Amino acid sequence: MSSCAHKNPPEIITEAEQWLHDQGITPDRWAGLKVRHAENTPGTMWESVIIEIERRGADWVVTRLDRNRTPLDEAPGLKLVGGE
């Protein structure tokens, strides 16, 4: 983990690429995809963190970073945003 209590974008990108492979979504279909990573970080300043990344060309770009003072109401982990 980084100096923060949550995963950092490079970790999320690596996990997202593996997760997409595991879902059968090949790299040729990644263009424009948005992936959301959500996690609880209890006992820290922020009780939960949400980071969204979007595939633009050959790169992933962080499009959202929310740190929240309350735990997640949703299941933690990765999911596609807006479907595929």
Side-chain angles (χ1 to χ4, degrees), residues 41-56:
T41 55
T44 68
M45 174 187 249
W46 308 107
E47 288 292 313
S48 63
V49 176
I50 296 171
I51 297 176
E52 290 181 3
I53 57 174
E54 179 180 345
R55 185 67 170 210
R56 296 181 184 167

Side-chain angles (χ1 to χ4, degrees), residues 57-77:
D59 298 312
W60 290 101
V61 176
V62 175
T63 57
R64 180 178 176 192
L65 171 59
D66 287 337
R67 294 179 179 112
N68 307 296
R69 297 206 184 270
T70 57
L72 296 170
D73 289 332
E74 66 184 82

Side-chain angles (χ1 to χ4, degrees), residues 21-42:
H21 279 292
D22 294 347
Q23 302 301 309
I25 302 172
T26 55
D28 61 310
R29 295 167 49 203
W30 291 358
L33 284 184
K34 290 184 180 182
V35 178
R36 175 183 179 111
H37 169 82
E39 68 180 295
N40 286 315
T41 55

